[in-house]
Amino acid sequence: MKKSIAAVSAVVLGVGGAATGALSASAADPISPCASALDHNVEATSAVDAHWYMACEPQFGLGKAEFTITSNEQFPAGFTLADSTETGSANLAGSGPYFSGTVGSNTTTGLFAFSPHAYIDAHTQSYGVFAAFPITSVEQFTGTLPATCTANNATYDHLYRVNYASAKTTLTQTVNGKSWKFTIPVHPQALILGLNFLDQGTGLDPARPLCAVVEGSTAYFGAQQGDGDWDTIAGRFATQNFVETLVPLTDVNEDLGTFARVVPASTTPTASGDAQLAETGVSPVPAGIAAASLLAIAVGFFAIGRRRRSAARKH
């Protein structure tokens, strides 16, 4: 089951953030970068060590997300971000090819598989996407797990921590001679995994518990396969058995926020124009404007809306 925990790092990390000094896999046990998300698998149990459990070091995680865009000027007829040119911050380079075997493509960076937009009003649209999260390192976790993970004296063969960098994706297109530009930032939290492996062969032990913690926010626990969040942890947080993989999110369809159109610097803002925003521009428009809007993505994954979900849905 999933339970919220206090948003205090000491709850997850132990006294003073004990995991801070842990060595990354690349430093303690050099392994090659994963070529794609399809490599996010548990290696042979005999090769699993304290620092990481895959045969390669992952470069990105991927999770379902949603966001809303706003403009003081009405959107042109038929406007959709899916028609935009996409560019990402430097740490998203290569994310397109990395997920091309799952939901991405070589021509996009950072955000993939846009849903048809949800029309809220002439100034507001919402989208569902898969978002890529740059991984900076993986390492052994030496801190303290929250009580949710240790109920009934549950223990784990290995504890791991996945660290992420913030990133941003900019979507730009020109309509009727005007620039329509939106920047979507993401700020992933660390992911902590408590895993148990089969004694022989490859894979997670279906008879023993699994736990995943999105640092300072939410803990997920499953006592055994088919119980609680075991399957979600195995497929969504720890491997690539589902489309999502190494997900640093607390909800399926994580709400990234509401973002305003970025007006070119050469444009003088007027009372009816968009306010000039920084490149990471979070909209000053109240987040609640999109709260009631829902949309099913064409591929059947997303529920669009501004309300945050209190519980992760199962696959």
Side-chain angles (χ1 to χ4, degrees), residues 24-47:
S24 70
S26 58
D29 181 25
I31 53 176
S32 300
C34 297
S36 78
L38 298 178
D39 294 332
H40 292 186
N41 303 302
V42 179
E43 64 179 329
T45 305
S46 60

Side-chain angles (χ1 to χ4, degrees), residues 72-73 263 269-275:
N72 284 352
E73 181 178 349
V263 177
T270 65
S272 60
D274 294 277

Side-chain angles (χ1 to χ4, degrees), residues 60 62 82 84 86 92-114 130 132 243:
F60 302 95
L62 185 76
S84 300
E86 181 175 325
L92 287 172
S95 59
Y98 198 80
F99 293 111
S100 61
T102 57
V103 299
S105 74
N106 291 329
T107 60
T108 56
T109 301
L111 301 176
F112 309 104
F114 276 81
F130 284 95
V243 174

Side-chain angles (χ1 to χ4, degrees), residues 69-163:
I69 59 172
T70 64
S71 170
N72 284 352
E73 181 178 349
Q74 290 189 12
F75 287 107
F79 180 89
T80 172
L81 284 181
D83 295 335
S84 300
T85 299
E86 181 175 325
T87 57
S89 50
N91 56 11
L92 287 172
S95 59
Y98 198 80
F99 293 111
S100 61
T102 57
V103 299
S105 74
N106 291 329
T107 60
T108 56
T109 301
L111 301 176
F112 309 104
F114 276 81
S115 69
H117 72 268
Y119 177 87
I120 297 171
D121 57 42
H123 301 272
T124 313
Q125 296 182 353
S126 286
Y127 291 85
V129 293
F130 284 95
F133 308 99
I135 293 174
T136 57
S137 65
V138 293
E139 59 192 8
Q140 181 183 15
F141 176 68
T142 59
T144 302
L145 292 173
T148 298
C149 296
T150 56
N152 299 320
N153 298 314
T155 60
Y156 304 90
D157 290 338
H158 294 295
L159 301 178
Y160 303 101
R161 175 174 159 135
V162 185
N163 301 304

Side-chain angles (χ1 to χ4, degrees), residues 153-304:
N153 298 314
T155 60
Y156 304 90
D157 290 338
H158 294 295
L159 301 178
Y160 303 101
R161 175 174 159 135
V162 185
N163 301 304
Y164 303 85
S166 296
K168 62 184 179 182
T169 301
T170 299
L171 301 147
T172 308
Q173 60 182 292
T174 300
V175 181
N176 298 327
K178 293 183 179 181
S179 172
W180 292 81
K181 181 178 181 180
F182 297 87
T183 295
I184 315 301
V186 296
H187 304 287
Q189 301 181 81
L191 172 66
I192 296 165
L193 297 170
L195 305 179
N196 287 310
F197 304 102
L198 293 167
D199 290 337
Q200 297 180 345
T202 301
L204 299 165
D205 189 339
R208 297 180 65 196
L210 298 178
C211 194
V213 181
V214 180
E215 184 179 330
S217 181
T218 304
Y220 300 76
F221 173 78
Q224 60 186 3
Q225 190 172 40
D227 178 29
D229 277 314
W230 196 100
D231 296 332
T232 297
I233 297 166
R236 179 173 180 248
F237 288 103
T239 70
Q240 202 268 322
N241 290 337
F242 297 146
V243 174
E244 295 177 90
T245 178
L246 298 176
V247 183
L249 304 178
T250 61
D251 288 323
V252 176
N253 294 3
E254 186 83 349
D255 185 1
L256 299 179
T258 298
F259 308 100
R261 177 187 176 195
V262 179
V263 177
S266 58
T267 299
T268 301
T270 65
S272 60
D274 294 277
Q276 178 68 39
L277 297 179
E279 188 70 6
T280 56
V282 176
S283 173
V285 178
I289 56 178
S293 180
L294 299 175
L295 177 70
I297 185 171
V299 296
F301 286 128
F302 298 108
I304 303 301

